[in-house]
């Protein structure tokens, strides 16, 4: 499969006309959006994307063989052809999206009448050789074709040394796509994308080693390395207490500031808290992937975590700041780069049921990470959940390909596997014993 990675290189502050270039590019996109909105009736009849793009370009760009219907070339003279085509592509996508949403709104499938905005936040793509040139393999610079208010000229742009060192260390010899300009935190970046061909693990289920992960709030993640017969090869508790403590201190300052001064002047503090939270997500996902690589796992198993609706209680802010989806998304990308697959199972009752099959656990009110089984045994609740997550994956993958008669026979011997939302680690052990006895017999 193809795995796409991207990295943003910061442009050092200097006297280059980036704002002029952005202004004229966004003005061109706004002009084209208005044009294609008027001409969408004839453009929508062209089903082929390439032919539609060519017809859209003929409407605004005149040549010896084509008379343009709109005076785009008069409003934006000397606009580079590649930049014009990038603007056309962006405007076509915006109008197509608007028309699709408008049809859904007309049919009652979408609430709220959609709007198309002329003031956009489009960013130009600097195509190689015509808009972007590399200064040298060892230089921390590049050449960009920018608009200085009068004409399009080449400008030498200095790039951040640490970013360039990272690209040289990890991506040397791999071809990057045309860089896209982006703006973050009042700084400009050139974002490069790299595409790799990776072969994901094709190990049979019975020979697989998985890393089942239970994401939490007190403990960031608990990883369990497991085989198909229920053998546990390793366990790891992942937690970054100093990072979480720093985040909670910032949230406390925000809470006190809002109580005294209101929420009107707190945007910068919230932005800082979000950056800390995102950095914590990157560290957690990296630690999970490192654990899976260390034990040569074939699959990383997560839960389907859906937390919709209003959050209440004393822990609602922690639940709101919990970036569970970002952790899974980052971990999935890193896992695919290492050839590891990612799978998900139902999260229902994974923490509520004891891994030994004894039933519902009782949470410790003083330490929420601990629980008490029915037999009186105390155990880590997150670790028990990680066992159950891995067991549900193997139960599903072992039973799913079996013929109906054999599956029914197994379910009769191990009735607990019929209902996937109540399966636990003990059920996997019973299922593994039953499958082993059948094959030996």
């Amino acid at each position: 499969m193809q795995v796409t990675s991207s990295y943003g290189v910061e442009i050092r502050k200097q006297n280059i006309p980036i704002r002029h270039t952005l202004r004229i590019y966004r003005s061109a996109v706004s002009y084209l959006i208005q044009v294609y909105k008027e001409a969408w009736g004839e453009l929508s009849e062209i089903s082929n994307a390439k032919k539609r793009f060519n017809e859209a370009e003929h409407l605004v760009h005149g040549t010896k063989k084509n008379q343009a219907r709109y005076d785009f070339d008069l409003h934006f003279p000397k606009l580079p052809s590649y930049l014009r085509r990038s603007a056309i592509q962006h405007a076509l996508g915006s109008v197509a999206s608007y028309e699709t949403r408008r049809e859904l709104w007309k049919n009652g499938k979408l609430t709220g009448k959609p709007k198309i905005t002329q003031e956009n936040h489009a960013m130009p793509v600097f195509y190689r050789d015509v808009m972007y040139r590399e200064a040298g393999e060892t230089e921390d610079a590049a050449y960009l074709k920018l608009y200085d208010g009068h004409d399009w000229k080449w400008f030498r742009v200095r790039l951040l040394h640490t970013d360039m060192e990272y690209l040289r260390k990890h991506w040397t010899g791999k071809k990057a796509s045309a860089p896209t300009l982006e703006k973050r935190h009042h700084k400009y970046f050139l974002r490069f994308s790299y595409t790799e061909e990776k072969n994901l693990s094709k190990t049979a289920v019975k020979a697989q080693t998985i890393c089942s992960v239970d994401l939490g709030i007190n403990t960031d993640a608990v990883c369990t390395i497991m085989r198909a017969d229920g053998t546990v090869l390793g366990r790891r508790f992942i937690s970054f207490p100093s990072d979480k403590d720093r985040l909670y201190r910032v949230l406390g300052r925000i809470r006190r500031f809002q109580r005294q001064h209101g929420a009107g002047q707190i945007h910068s503090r919230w932005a800082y808290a979000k950056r800390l939270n995102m950095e914590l997500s990157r560290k957690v996902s990296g630690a999970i992937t490192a654990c899976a690589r260390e034990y040569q796992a074939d699959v990383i198993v997560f839960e389907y975590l859906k937390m919709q609706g209003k959050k209440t209680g004393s822990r609602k802010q922690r639940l709101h700041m919990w970036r569970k989806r970002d952790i899974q998304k980052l971990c999935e990308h890193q896992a695919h780069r290492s050839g590891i697959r990612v799978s998900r199972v139902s999260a229902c009752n994974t923490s509520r049921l004891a891994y030994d099959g004894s039933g519902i656990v009782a949470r410790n009110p003083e330490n929420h990470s601990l629980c008490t089984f029915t037999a009186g045994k105390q155990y880590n609740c997150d670790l028990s959940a990680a066992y159950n997550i891995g067991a549900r994956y193997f139960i599903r993958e072992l039973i799913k390909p079996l013929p109906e008669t054999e599956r029914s026979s197994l379910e009769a011997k191990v009735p607990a596997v019929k209902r996937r939302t109540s399966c636990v680690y003990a059920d996997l052990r019973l299922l593994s014993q039953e499958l082993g006895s059948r094959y030996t017999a």
Side-chain angles (χ1 to χ4, degrees):
M1 68 172 295
Q2 286 189 344
V3 181
T4 303
S5 307
S6 66
Y7 190 82
V9 179
E10 182 183 343
I11 298 176
R12 302 298 301 274
K13 288 184 178 181
Q14 52 190 313
N15 189 21
I16 54 175
I18 290 183
R19 292 183 180 179
H20 287 297
T21 307
L22 268 180
R23 190 180 302 115
I24 192 171
Y25 178 75
R26 290 175 175 177
S27 299
V29 172
S30 299
Y31 182 92
L32 290 171
I33 287 176
Q34 184 63 33
V35 167
Y36 296 144
K37 184 181 176 183
E38 295 176 4
W40 185 251
E42 55 184 285
L43 289 175
S44 60
E45 296 177 358
I46 306 174
S47 57
N48 186 279
K50 188 175 181 180
K51 291 182 179 179
R52 179 187 291 181
F53 178 85
N54 292 337
E55 181 62 28
E57 188 175 21
H58 290 158
L59 288 175
V60 296
H61 179 59
T63 60
K64 291 181 179 180
K65 298 182 180 180
N66 176 64
Q67 182 66 33
R69 189 187 307 176
Y70 299 90
D71 54 352
F72 176 81
D73 292 335
L74 295 177
H75 286 84
F76 304 96
K78 297 184 180 181
L79 185 70
S81 58
Y82 284 92
L83 211 59
R84 181 185 67 246
R85 289 166 186 164
S86 174
I88 290 173
Q89 193 68 49
H90 185 94
L92 277 177
S94 298
V95 176
S97 174
Y98 164 73
E99 294 294 336
T100 302
R101 288 182 284 114
R102 194 164 69 93
E103 288 298 323
L104 293 174
W105 172 72
K106 283 183 177 181
N107 298 331
K109 297 180 180 179
L110 189 68
T111 58
K113 186 177 181 179
K115 297 180 182 179
I116 185 167
T117 56
Q118 304 297 328
E119 295 295 330
N120 57 80
H121 299 280
M123 286 292 188
V125 178
F126 291 96
Y127 291 94
R128 291 181 178 275
D129 300 329
V130 291
M131 298 292 296
Y132 168 83
R133 292 176 185 169
E134 294 181 354
E137 294 183 0
T138 58
E139 293 187 52
D140 302 329
Y143 291 94
L144 298 179
K145 200 171 189 180
L146 303 173
Y147 185 69
D148 63 353
H150 303 282
D151 200 0
W152 293 85
K153 298 179 182 178
W154 287 97
F155 290 86
R156 191 175 189 272
V157 178
R158 292 190 297 113
L159 304 174
L160 192 64
H161 175 72
T162 52
D163 290 339
M164 295 303 295
E165 283 295 311
Y166 173 84
L167 293 183
R168 295 188 192 106
K169 181 179 179 181
H170 297 280
W171 298 101
T172 301
K174 297 178 182 178
K175 188 176 180 181
S177 66
T180 303
L181 184 69
E182 69 174 29
K183 185 179 181 181
R184 289 187 288 116
H185 317 311
H186 308 289
K187 296 179 181 179
Y188 291 99
F189 295 80
L190 287 177
R191 180 158 294 278
F192 296 87
S193 296
Y194 300 86
T195 302
E196 303 172 280
E197 286 289 340
K198 292 294 182 179
N199 296 322
L200 300 185
S201 174
K202 296 182 180 179
T203 308
V205 179
K206 294 180 181 178
Q208 282 182 358
T209 301
I210 69 167
C211 175
S212 60
V213 182
D214 177 68
L215 297 177
I217 299 176
N218 297 321
T219 304
D220 294 320
V222 177
C223 301
T224 301
I225 309 300
M226 188 183 298
R227 285 181 177 169
D229 59 353
T231 304
V232 176
L233 303 178
R235 302 175 297 180
R236 182 162 299 174
F237 292 82
I238 297 172
S239 184
F240 295 91
S242 59
D243 295 82
K244 287 191 290 187
D245 184 59
R246 185 181 301 112
L247 174 62
Y248 294 151
R249 285 205 311 272
V250 172
L251 292 175
R253 295 190 193 119
I254 292 173
R255 186 166 54 250
R256 290 190 295 271
F257 186 90
Q258 287 179 332
R259 192 178 299 142
Q260 295 177 5
H261 307 285
Q265 302 175 355
I266 203 68
H267 303 292
S268 60
R269 295 173 184 259
W270 271 118
Y272 179 58
K274 289 178 181 178
R275 291 197 295 271
L276 289 177
N277 205 14
M278 192 61 201
E279 183 62 25
L280 177 61
S281 304
R282 294 192 184 100
K283 289 184 177 181
V284 174
S285 60
I288 293 172
T289 311
C291 178
R293 282 198 297 260
E294 180 182 341
Y295 287 93
Q296 299 179 353
D298 301 293
V299 185
I300 298 177
V301 185
F302 290 105
E303 298 173 292
Y304 281 111
L305 293 174
K306 296 181 180 180
M307 298 180 62
Q308 299 176 350
K310 187 177 180 180
K311 303 172 183 64
T312 58
S314 59
R315 299 162 64 87
K316 62 180 180 181
Q317 190 179 56
R318 291 190 180 187
L319 289 171
H320 180 74
M321 298 292 290
W322 187 26
R323 304 182 71 96
K324 54 193 180 299
R325 294 179 183 174
D326 289 333
I327 293 173
Q328 292 193 14
K329 185 178 179 181
L330 291 168
C331 191
E332 183 175 3
H333 179 265
Q334 296 171 13
H336 286 170
R337 288 198 64 199
S338 302
I340 303 173
R341 294 183 180 273
V342 174
S343 183
R344 292 175 176 83
V345 297
S346 173
C348 185
N349 295 324
T350 52
S351 300
R352 190 166 180 257
L353 298 176
Y355 78 92
D356 61 354
S358 59
I360 299 175
V361 301
R363 288 290 186 109
N364 190 327
E366 297 180 357
N367 187 351
H368 205 65
S369 297
L370 295 178
C371 62
T372 305
F373 294 174
T374 306
K377 177 182 177 181
Q378 270 203 342
Y379 208 75
N380 186 281
C381 191
D382 297 331
L383 184 59
S384 175
Y387 289 164
N388 293 338
I389 292 167
R392 287 189 184 182
Y393 167 80
F394 276 124
I395 290 172
R396 181 185 67 194
E397 298 299 321
L398 289 171
I399 291 181
K400 188 176 180 180
L402 295 178
E404 187 65 31
T405 54
E406 190 173 351
R407 187 189 309 171
S408 301
S409 177
L410 279 173
E411 291 176 349
K413 295 290 182 65
V414 190
V417 300
K418 289 183 180 180
R419 189 178 180 185
R420 202 70 49 76
T421 56
S422 60
C423 291
V424 294
Y425 175 75
D427 301 327
L428 174 64
R429 299 302 299 264
L430 294 175
L431 180 65
S432 177
Q433 293 175 8
E434 185 63 28
L435 286 171
S437 63
R438 281 172 178 263
Y439 288 118
T440 53

